[in-house]
Amino acid sequence: MPQHPSPYYGSPPDSAQSGTVARNKIGSHPDFRSLRGAQRRFGAVALSISVGGFLLFVLLSSFLPDVLNRPLFGHVTLGLAGGVGQFAVMALTAWRYLVHMERRVDPAADRLRAEMHRDAAARARVPQQQRRFGGW
C-alpha cells in the first residue's frame, strides 16, 4: 500500500517491533475509548436523522401522495420542498461530522499518535534482543 504524504495517515513508527503489546496499550487508553464512544454516538445520531428523514419522505410519498402534492407557492409543492430538504439534511450532517471530527476526535487522535511515537522512541532507545530474522 502506498504511503500517504499526510502525517495523519501513517502507521505507528516501528510497528513491526511494537506488536500487540502497543496495540493493547492504546486500546485500553481512556482517549481511545472516548474516541470510540464519540464515534458510535455521533454515528447513531447522524444515521437516525439522515435515514429517518429520508424514510419519512419516502413513506409519505408512497402512502400519502396527496399531502406531498399540496402547493406551497407557485408550482412548488410540499414534496418538491421535502426532496430539496433532503439535500439540506445531508449537507447539515456532513458539516456536523466535520465539526465533530475537528473538535472532539482529532485532538484525542493527535494525543494518542504522539503517545505512540513517544513509546516507539523509548523502545528504540532500549536495546532489543537480537532476532534471527529481523523485523518484518
Side-chain angles (χ1 to χ4, degrees):
M1 188 161 112
Q3 292 291 331
H4 196 280
S6 172
Y8 297 109
Y9 294 103
S11 61
D14 202 13
S15 61
Q17 292 180 1
S18 63
T20 58
V21 175
R23 286 189 194 118
N24 289 339
K25 184 177 177 184
I26 293 298
S28 63
H29 196 278
D31 278 342
F32 184 75
R33 284 183 285 178
S34 74
L35 277 174
R36 285 186 10 200
Q39 283 300 99
R40 285 182 183 148
R41 282 188 301 276
F42 183 84
V45 170
L47 181 73
S48 63
I49 289 172
S50 299
V51 173
F54 182 72
L55 185 61
L56 177 68
F57 179 69
V58 168
L59 290 175
L60 281 174
S61 66
S62 296
F63 296 110
L64 298 172
D66 294 336
V67 172
L68 294 181
N69 283 332
R70 291 186 184 157
L72 288 178
F73 54 89
H75 293 290
V76 177
T77 63
L78 188 61
L80 183 61
V84 171
Q86 291 300 311
F87 288 106
V89 168
M90 290 298 155
L92 180 68
T93 304
W95 173 72
R96 284 302 305 161
Y97 175 76
L98 289 174
V99 169
H100 170 75
M101 292 297 284
E102 288 174 354
R103 289 185 183 166
R104 180 101 193 245
V105 175
D106 287 346
D110 290 340
R111 286 191 301 269
L112 283 172
R113 190 175 298 112
E115 185 170 328
M116 286 175 62
H117 286 283
R118 278 193 305 270
D119 289 347
R123 277 193 310 276
R125 284 191 292 265
V126 175
Q128 295 289 324
Q129 199 175 30
Q130 183 65 27
R131 294 186 199 174
R132 182 175 175 192
F133 295 108
W136 293 10

